[in-house]
Amino acid sequence: MTTRKQLKLGHMIEGAGRTWTDWRHPDAQPGASTNFAYYKDAALLAERGKFDFLFIADSLSINEKSSPHYLNRFEPITILSALAAVTEHVGLVATLSVTYSEPFNVARQFASLDHISGGRAGWNVVTSWLEGSADNFGKEEHPAHDVRYRLAAEYLDVVQGLWDSWEDDALVHDKANGVFFDPEKLNTLGHKGDFLSVKGPLNIARSAQGQPVIFQAGASEDGRNFAAKRADAIFVGHGGIQEARDYYADVKARAAGFGRDPASLFILPAVAPIIGSTEAEANARWQERADLVSIESALAMLGRSFNDHDFTVYELDAPFPDVFARGFNSSQSATLKIAHAVQKENLTLRQVAQRFATPKGELVGTPEQIADKFEEWLVTEASDGFVVGQPLPGQFRLFVEEVTPILQKRGILRETYEGSTFRDSLGLEVPANRFTVAKAERAVA
């Protein structure tokens, strides 16, 4: 019997809501972004639904225009370490910026999470796109987009090298002879590069999965190349299925060009399904959410992609202002997408803001219709799965209780976890320790 391709599913936890106005819903919990009970319930739901991972987004700069969830929320590794203690199988993916952190600390933090969770850690490698982040870390300016990606490549080299400091059989714990470890199997990285100088070794060994799983949000040209070359999974946003298919084909081809097996790279668009027992009920729920969004909130949401630009100074029904240069060094992919739509359709500022704030998309419908769409995206190579968010209170529970059983019945979602680690769930091999491999190659030469 042929085994069907399996969906890879993650759940993004966004306590106060995905947008600027979700917290106003009568059933919403405005303080959920710093409420451990909320996160715990979401994590247990995801595990009940046999999801592959939890995903915690992050940023390092806020202002008075930021969304409620951005304004007041947990630091990702901290909350995931707590969730590791109350879950058993679900992966734990934390967003952490290479631009405003030190690789030794990052390597140690993720290795610690990996051990605490029994091998379930993942790192969403980001470069930070908000220029205000520089002010919070004593930097004179925010690095240019291409510089950030060159830094990211070297940074990941360093962190992964540090994770291999201890070979897998280095800690012998020989009590009789008083030998705690084999010093020949503790390795110093000794990295000196264009951006970083890190000696090592790291003061924590590898976990059951060898190294944490690497995520990246690659949508720009630099981002696509970096993700295709280095990531295990890509978190991305799409406007529709054809755009998703084009991206999928492009990035998988890039991965093959880098000598990788494209099947070992998972492309996972962000989605927020709205579910109703009938189409009419689902549409009513979407409208319920859309009605929460004022034009002022829509302009604030739009401004985020343009480095928190203030769009209230422009005439709403005039042509969209020429401010694209502000976005190219921030959220480049979102800026290019908006620029293309404006040029093609001659959109006004009001039209762009409303479309950006309340896109209806394809995932509004009954459980069967949502399952149909998930299957269509999977089998037509638009995605390998999804990162599922919650657009309205209670919707993620509905997804787990009513959509996942349909996906399982169709044979495209697991019914039991394959093993104990995140790599087991994804079907990824444990990466070989680079120092062990190098020694073996030298012994043969």
Side-chain angles (χ1 to χ4, degrees), residues 81-121:
S81 295
L83 293 176
V86 297
T87 55
E88 295 181 2
H89 297 284
V90 69
L92 307 164
V93 181
T95 299
L96 199 148
S97 170
V98 301
T99 309
Y100 299 105
S101 59
E102 292 292 336
F104 189 91
N105 288 342
V106 169
R108 191 181 187 198
Q109 287 172 297
F110 276 101
S112 296
L113 175 61
D114 218 19
H115 277 278
I116 291 168
S117 63
R120 294 187 282 132

Side-chain angles (χ1 to χ4, degrees), residues 286-341:
W286 176 83
Q287 190 61 53
E288 181 183 333
R289 186 180 188 225
D291 288 345
L292 295 172
V293 181
S294 65
I295 188 60
E296 292 78 17
S297 297
L299 292 173
M301 294 184 215
L302 179 64
R304 193 71 173 171
S305 291
F306 291 84
N307 197 37
D308 284 326
H309 186 59
D310 183 3
F311 279 100
T312 63
V313 300
Y314 304 103
E315 171 58 44
L316 278 170
D317 296 308
F320 191 83
D322 184 8
V323 295
F324 298 110
R326 293 191 59 86
F328 289 140
N329 197 39
S330 295
S331 184
Q332 189 175 111
S333 58
T335 301
L336 288 170
K337 191 177 293 187
I338 292 169
H340 177 73

Side-chain angles (χ1 to χ4, degrees), residues 431-444:
N433 184 298
R434 70 196 60 205
F435 296 106
T436 305
V437 171
K439 289 176 182 178
E441 290 174 347
R442 287 196 298 270
V444 171

Side-chain angles (χ1 to χ4, degrees), residues 140-376:
E140 291 186 3
E141 63 179 5
H142 189 54
H145 188 272
D146 64 321
V147 173
R148 299 200 307 270
Y149 273 99
R150 286 194 288 115
L151 167 63
E154 183 179 337
Y155 199 111
L156 185 54
D157 285 338
V158 171
V159 170
Q160 290 182 320
L162 288 171
W163 282 335
D164 280 351
S165 295
W166 293 86
E167 295 179 54
D168 291 335
D169 56 351
L171 292 161
V172 296
H173 299 166
D174 182 349
K175 293 183 178 180
N177 294 301
V179 180
F180 187 77
F181 75 103
D182 181 348
E184 295 296 318
K185 296 184 177 182
L186 175 61
N187 301 279
T188 299
L189 182 64
H191 174 88
K192 290 187 181 294
D194 294 336
F195 298 97
L196 302 166
S197 178
V198 182
K199 181 181 178 182
L202 190 65
N203 54 350
I204 185 170
R206 287 173 27 126
S207 78
Q209 68 169 350
Q211 292 190 1
V213 174
I214 300 300
F215 277 63
Q216 212 275 319
S220 67
E221 186 69 16
D222 290 331
R224 290 185 190 211
N225 281 328
F226 180 61
K229 188 174 184 179
R230 305 297 299 275
D232 298 306
I234 304 177
F235 171 60
V236 67
H238 290 311
I241 192 169
Q242 189 54 53
E243 177 186 334
R245 287 173 184 150
D246 293 343
Y247 178 91
Y248 188 98
D250 175 66
V251 173
K252 295 279 186 169
R254 294 183 195 224
F258 288 122
R260 299 185 60 189
D261 176 4
S264 68
L265 171 63
F266 304 110
I267 297 175
L268 308 172
V271 295
I274 295 182
I275 306 161
S277 58
T278 64
E279 282 189 63
E281 182 180 314
N283 285 324
R285 285 177 171 169
W286 176 83
Q287 190 61 53
E288 181 183 333
R289 186 180 188 225
D291 288 345
L292 295 172
V293 181
S294 65
I295 188 60
E296 292 78 17
S297 297
L299 292 173
M301 294 184 215
L302 179 64
R304 193 71 173 171
S305 291
F306 291 84
N307 197 37
D308 284 326
H309 186 59
D310 183 3
F311 279 100
T312 63
V313 300
Y314 304 103
E315 171 58 44
L316 278 170
D317 296 308
F320 191 83
D322 184 8
V323 295
F324 298 110
R326 293 191 59 86
F328 289 140
N329 197 39
S330 295
S331 184
Q332 189 175 111
S333 58
T335 301
L336 288 170
K337 191 177 293 187
I338 292 169
H340 177 73
V342 167
Q343 183 179 30
K344 183 179 179 181
E345 303 176 50
N346 195 29
L347 299 173
T348 66
L349 174 58
R350 186 192 301 273
Q351 289 170 324
V352 172
Q354 289 174 333
R355 182 181 299 186
F356 190 88
T358 56
K360 188 171 185 181
E362 303 176 358
L363 295 173
V364 178
T366 65
E368 285 281 352
Q369 289 172 328
I370 301 300
D372 288 344
K373 288 295 182 183
F374 271 46
E375 185 171 11
E376 180 186 8

